Amino acid sequence: MASVRSAAASTGDAEQDRDPLVDLRRVDTVYRPGGPVDVIATLRPLSRGSGDPAHRVVGSDVWLALRTPEGPASVLVRAVGDAVAISAWGAGAAWAVSHGPDLVGRGDDWSELDVSAHAFLEQARHRQPGLRLLRTNTVVAMLVPAIMEQKVTSRQAWRAWRYLVRRFGTPAPGPAPEGMVVPPDADTWARIPSWEWHKAGIEPGRSATVMRVVKVAPALERTLALGRGGELVASRLQSIPGVGPWTAAETAQRSHGDPDSPSVGDYHVPALVGWALTGGPVDDDGMLELLEPWRGAPRTGRAAHLGVGVPEAGVRAADDDPGPPRALNIRRRCRPIEAPLLWCS
């Protein structure tokens, strides 16, 4: 049975006391999920490229610079045996730690997942027993970068993300690695002038969508009370002009931990699902047809989350077929698909 143990807040040394950027309000917890958790693979969907100032992998540890409802926080996530240790600093430290287990898969139950009918998926599941679906409990923080990724390559979107976060974010509190930055909050995104969006390579259409999103930020955050995604969450997100099915799915997968929102409209995902299930690429309609046998089957929305990757060159636009999926441990320029793909009702 999963459990969470909190430890008392602690303080740092005198050297930290002299550094105004080091926030000594540290909070710790230990989460015992009752099974293995691959911290790096589980949190990888939060990375917006290798230079993301809000995400850093150091050895087997993961650092996150988060904008929480209570303020900025630096979060250190470490696997310690069968447990996950989570430490946080900053004004949002207590909030980050209380929701930390959700980041590493609390509430994501794979127990009834049966992929035995597909050799590739069965092998991938065996190869990655610690892979979990995360839930950040922050909607706007996940929606803004998803909007930046619309209709462009990943590299273009990640370059814009790096520029805007470094320009308008705040230094990560506590002993976070040098150069880490907490992304802006909704009010700050709203105040970014048009020429800065232009410098970042974000055209007026996408920046206008971000402006519409941040104006209704409180309402979007309230969708977290609706559970782990689903049609109602998708419809609330898509009620904002400029937010379509792909953007809503990419957001809900991270913010709500939605296991059953395929990224319809993605350049690579349908082909990769086709390769995984049939040995050849398919389009969106073909992908949904392949996934139809799983409709209504509990907890199978996680299956194609396993062992499949897309080239870093682009999520929404690229020049060639991604080809058959390959094992994660032999890829160098591929990142895992963040989307859990199999559709369930």
Side-chain angles (χ1 to χ4, degrees), residues 12-307:
D13 54 26
E15 192 66 27
Q16 287 180 317
D17 290 335
R18 292 193 292 269
D19 186 350
L21 295 180
V22 174
D23 192 321
L24 302 181
R25 288 173 290 184
R26 170 178 168 175
V27 184
D28 301 281
T29 194
V30 176
Y31 170 56
R32 302 185 185 280
V37 174
D38 186 331
V39 169
I40 293 176
T42 297
L43 295 178
R44 190 177 285 118
L46 298 182
S47 173
R48 307 290 174 171
S50 59
D52 186 350
H55 184 282
R56 187 79 57 85
V57 176
V58 181
S60 59
D61 301 341
V62 178
W63 282 90
L64 303 171
L66 303 180
R67 178 67 62 178
T68 80
E70 296 179 1
S74 295
V75 182
L76 171 61
V77 185
R78 297 171 293 143
V80 181
D82 291 334
V84 179
I86 304 168
S87 302
W89 295 259
W95 187 97
V97 163
S98 68
H99 292 83
D102 290 345
L103 281 174
V104 290
R106 178 174 61 183
D108 177 38
D109 183 7
W110 295 66
S111 61
E112 296 186 32
L113 175 66
D114 181 8
V115 293
S116 59
H118 294 276
F120 173 81
L121 297 180
E122 187 175 28
Q123 293 168 9
R125 180 68 182 130
H126 177 74
R127 189 172 63 246
Q128 300 178 90
L131 182 63
R132 295 293 180 269
L133 303 184
L134 62 87
R135 174 183 166 104
T136 67
N137 291 288
T138 54
V139 181
V140 172
M142 298 297 104
L143 183 50
V144 169
I147 293 168
M148 293 185 189
E149 292 175 353
Q150 293 174 347
K151 302 178 182 178
V152 297
T153 68
S154 293
R155 289 180 180 176
Q156 289 172 302
W158 294 340
R159 184 166 57 247
W161 173 254
R162 289 194 300 267
Y163 174 80
L164 291 169
V165 169
R166 289 170 178 161
R167 182 80 173 82
F168 297 100
T170 55
E178 184 178 358
M180 292 198 71
V181 182
V182 177
D185 59 14
D187 290 340
T188 303
W189 285 120
R191 292 196 301 269
I192 296 177
S194 59
W195 58 86
E196 293 287 1
W197 291 100
H198 178 73
K199 286 182 180 180
I202 303 292
E203 83 287 346
R206 283 184 291 160
S207 63
T209 300
V210 173
M211 294 302 103
R212 288 189 287 268
V213 162
V214 297
K215 285 181 180 179
V216 294
L220 292 174
E221 302 300 336
R222 287 195 292 270
T223 65
L224 293 166
L226 300 175
R228 298 182 75 91
E231 293 184 3
L232 184 53
V233 169
S235 66
R236 297 279 177 87
L237 295 177
Q238 292 179 58
S239 68
I240 302 170
V243 176
W246 182 87
T247 307
E250 289 287 305
T251 300
Q253 290 157 17
R254 297 166 173 83
S255 59
H256 295 72
D258 192 339
D260 300 317
S261 293
S263 297
V264 174
D266 195 281
Y267 186 91
H268 290 290
V269 169
L272 289 165
V273 172
W275 278 111
L277 299 183
T278 70
V282 298
D283 58 12
D284 280 329
D285 290 339
M287 174 180 71
L288 296 178
E289 183 178 351
L290 286 173
L291 302 181
E292 182 63 28
W294 280 272
R295 183 181 292 276
R299 300 179 180 86
T300 55
R302 297 154 178 84
H305 187 64
L306 300 169

